[in-house]
């Protein structure tokens, strides 16, 4: 029927059954969306510009639906960490720490990074080197970190989180060096340790009386008990953690944390892959205790090392077929940062032990944070992205050499925690 421009429109028809179903379906989807959003906010609380995640009691629901409760029901602890600190920020913070290790104030690199974390809401895509410079200047001029972070609601959260990630990586340690590189002893005492280019090791920190702890320069003891007059022990301060790949061995990498994996079930990739050659020596990043060693259908031949402070669990997977580990290692063994612990391969993705089912040889390197033992296994595990961390650790690689007539390599110079 022709309707004139000035005529009234016909009334809308009464909603039919189909339209009612659509309304009902939209309502159900809305309720479901609200429920999912509430669950997400409960697990990952939103970050303000000034801060980050909360301290909450963590109750992990495992696949069987059972609850895994904290070891101490009254304890509150961190249940989520998103580590986005860049290599550039870590490097500059470490430089400031080392440059002031004999000064007052001594600028602690983790505190510096925690300040930036609180300022950026954990988002280091906002990082500017000038922000660290201004912070360092304020501290040198007499301001305290407590004063500067007074209004930062989540500074303590970032300090604890970043300490859990980085806490064992910088400090004083003993390093074996060629005898000709040992600190000079002109007056009967060892001289000051000199910075080591490209290693992150350098000056020694001050003692309580403000004097530097002199580096030791004593002949080292070989592992078989024989004197080795060609080397000496020197005290160092700086980066004592190592890259997981031995010095001189090529590898490629990209930021692959969180990408999809489908073997067994659909899941996220909770580690960092470093592609290289079969047999490349794999290095202990930090000193610790071997908690797991053997076959895993996902990781193949793998090894898990727990830091001495129990905060970090390092996971090295897809090791070499037939000869995956350094000889003598077993559950409970103690390893030093820089030790050879195994060899790159492509084992895994099979229930059958010693199977090469990975297409490209690589090391899967993972880092799990543990604030309470209830987080060690289950759905409440905290794995962080290691891409920037591995880039940072590249400046300190362990030098190795082939053991004649064997399949093994060993480190050339040792280090000791102090």
């Amino acid at each position: 029927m022709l309707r004139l421009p000035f005529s009234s429109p016909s009334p809308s028809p009464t909603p039919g059954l189909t339209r009612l179903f659509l309304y009902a379906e939209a309502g159900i989807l809305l309720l479901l969306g609200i429920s999912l959003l509430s669950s997400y906010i409960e697990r990952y609380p939103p970050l303000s510009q000034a801060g980050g995640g909360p301290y909450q009691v963590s109750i992990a629901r495992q696949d069987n639906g059972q609850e895994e409760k904290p070891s101490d029901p009254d304890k509150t602890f961190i249940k989520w960490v998103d580590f986005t600190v860049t290599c550039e920020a870590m490097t500059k913070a470490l430089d400031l720490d080392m440059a002031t290790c004999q000064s007052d104030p001594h600028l602690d690199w983790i505190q510096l990074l925690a300040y930036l974390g609180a300022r950026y809401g954990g988002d280091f895509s906002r990082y500017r080197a000038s922000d660290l410079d201004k912070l360092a200047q304020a501290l040198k001029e007499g301001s305290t970190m407590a004063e500067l972070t007074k209004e930062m609601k989540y500074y303590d959260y970032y300090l604890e989180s970043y300490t859990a990630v980085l806490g064992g990586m910088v400090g004083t340690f003993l390093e074996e060096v060629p005898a000709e590189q040992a600190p000079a002893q002109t007056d009967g005492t060892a001289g000051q340790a000199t910075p080591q280019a490209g290693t992150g090791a350098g000056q020694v920190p001050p003692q309580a009386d403000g004097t530097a702890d002199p580096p030791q320069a004593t002949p080292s003891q070989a592992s078989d008990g024989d004197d080795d007059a060609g080397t000496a022990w020197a005290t160092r301060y700086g980066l004592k953690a190592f890259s997981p790949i031995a010095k001189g061995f090529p590898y490629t990498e990209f930021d692959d944390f969180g990408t999809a994996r489908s073997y067994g079930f659909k899941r996220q990739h909770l580690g960092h892959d470093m592609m290289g050659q079969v047999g490349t020596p794999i290095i202990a990043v930090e000193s610790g205790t071997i908690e797991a060693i053997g076959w895993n259908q996902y990781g193949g031949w793998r090894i898990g090392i727990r830091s001495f402070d129990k905060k970090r669990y390092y996971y090295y997977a897809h090791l070499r077929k037939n000869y995956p580990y350094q000889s003598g290692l077993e559950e409970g063994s103690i390893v030093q940062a820089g030790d050879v612990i195994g060899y790159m391969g492509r084992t895994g993705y099979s229930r059958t032990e010693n199977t090469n089912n990975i297409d490209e040889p690589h090391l899967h390197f993972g880092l799990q944070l543990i604030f309470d033992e209830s987080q060690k296994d289950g759905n409440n595990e905290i794995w962080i992205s290691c891409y920037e961390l591995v880039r940072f650790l590249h400046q300190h690689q362990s030098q190795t050499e082939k053991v004649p007539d064997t399949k093994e390599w060993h480190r050339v110079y040792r280090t000791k925690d102090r």
Side-chain angles (χ1 to χ4, degrees), residues 296-371:
N296 176 290
Q297 67 165 314
Y298 300 100
W301 294 121
R302 58 56 166 122
I303 187 168
I305 299 175
R306 188 81 169 266
S307 63
F308 291 138
D309 66 3
K310 301 294 186 180
K311 294 293 186 182
R312 291 167 296 286
Y313 178 76
Y314 295 93
Y315 181 72
Y316 309 79
H318 306 312
L319 302 182
R320 180 174 59 185
K321 183 178 180 179
N322 297 327
Y323 209 105
Y325 309 117
Q326 192 76 333
S327 59
L329 296 184
E330 59 185 15
E331 189 174 323
S333 294
I334 301 298
V335 298
Q336 289 290 326
D339 284 353
V340 177
I341 57 174
Y343 302 91
M344 184 182 294
R346 57 186 192 91
T347 60
Y349 282 17
S350 175
R351 294 180 182 273
T352 303
E353 287 191 3
N354 209 34
T355 299
N356 277 337
N357 237 4
I358 303 296
D359 293 333
E360 184 174 5
H362 69 275
L363 169 69
H364 170 103
F365 174 66
L367 178 53
Q368 181 187 7
L369 305 183
I370 302 167
F371 298 93

Side-chain angles (χ1 to χ4, degrees), residues 10-81:
S10 301
S12 301
T14 302
L17 186 60
T18 300
R19 185 168 295 181
L20 290 176
F21 275 128
L22 290 174
Y23 289 160
E25 187 178 48
I28 292 172
L29 289 174
L30 178 61
L31 292 175
L32 180 61
I34 293 174
S35 176
L36 290 174
L37 180 61
S38 299
S39 298
Y40 181 86
I41 292 175
E42 181 180 358
R43 181 170 175 82
Y44 303 122
L47 304 180
S48 69
Q49 183 172 343
Y55 293 85
Q56 294 185 3
V57 175
S58 174
I59 299 178
R61 295 188 179 275
Q62 301 190 6
D63 293 337
N64 59 10
Q66 299 296 317
E67 290 183 350
E68 182 183 349
K69 296 184 178 180
S71 55
D72 180 359
D74 296 325
K75 177 184 177 182
T76 59
F77 52 87
I78 293 174
K79 60 188 292 187
W80 173 69
V81 175

Side-chain angles (χ1 to χ4, degrees), residues 183-192 212 214-215 217:
Q185 302 182 58
T186 57
D187 59 356
T189 61
Q192 180 172 299

